[in-house]
Amino acid sequence: QVQLVESGGGLVQAGGSLRLSCAASGSIFSINTMGWYRQAPGKQRELVASITNGGSTNYVDSMKGRFTISRDNAKNTVYLQMNSLKPEDTAVYYCNAGVRTEWTPLVELDYWGQGTQVTVSS
């Protein structure tokens, strides 16, 4: 089994910053792309940013320049630095990873964290 555990969410005023972390653990053989998604009340879950195991990043246009994704492959951890936060960034943020487990090294499976709440007040 593989677990993704997020941390770092909370309440912040508009213009403030937060740093989210997501650590993967369990029977991991390798991790390909890791990413952050978010879901606001009444809206669909959407991609925020992703990063490959080689460090290539992808951002949704509205996050570019404000959010930075990074990862520590040795720690199986992905981070999301969020600056200049806006009330519309309020959402539950989910970590996602494409993982090959020790039991299924030829198959990449999608894993999700439980989510962490980010609330930005105006």
Side-chain angles (χ1 to χ4, degrees), residues 8 11 16 35-36 44 65 67 69 79 83 90 96 109 113 116:
L11 173 65
W36 288 97
Q44 289 188 333
F67 293 3
I69 191 170
Y79 306 95
N83 299 327
T90 295
N96 171 267
L109 301 175
T116 185

Side-chain angles (χ1 to χ4, degrees), residues 8-117:
L11 173 65
V12 65
Q13 289 188 333
S17 299
L18 284 174
R19 188 189 193 216
L20 306 182
S21 300
C22 171
S25 63
S27 303
I28 296 171
F29 178 74
S30 66
I31 302 178
N32 189 9
T33 299
M34 302 184 80
W36 288 97
Y37 290 71
R38 70 184 187 185
Q39 188 167 17
K43 296 186 177 181
Q44 289 188 333
R45 189 173 297 188
E46 63 175 352
L47 174 69
V48 174
S50 63
I51 183 168
T52 68
N53 55 11
S56 296
T57 58
N58 176 52
Y59 295 91
V60 171
D61 285 346
S62 60
M63 322 301 179
K64 287 181 180 178
R66 298 191 301 125
F67 293 3
T68 302
I69 191 170
S70 60
R71 67 190 279 177
D72 184 333
N73 289 334
K75 296 181 179 180
N76 290 330
T77 299
V78 63
Y79 306 95
L80 184 69
Q81 177 67 42
M82 303 186 294
N83 299 327
S84 302
L85 283 162
K86 305 174 182 179
E88 51 264 43
D89 294 318
T90 295
V92 178
Y93 284 70
Y94 295 91
C95 173
N96 171 267
V99 180
R100 297 176 188 263
T101 71
E102 295 175 348
W103 310 111
T104 58
L106 301 181
V107 178
E108 182 174 310
L109 301 175
D110 234 18
Y111 288 88
W112 292 88
Q114 81 285 356
T116 185
Q117 177 71 46

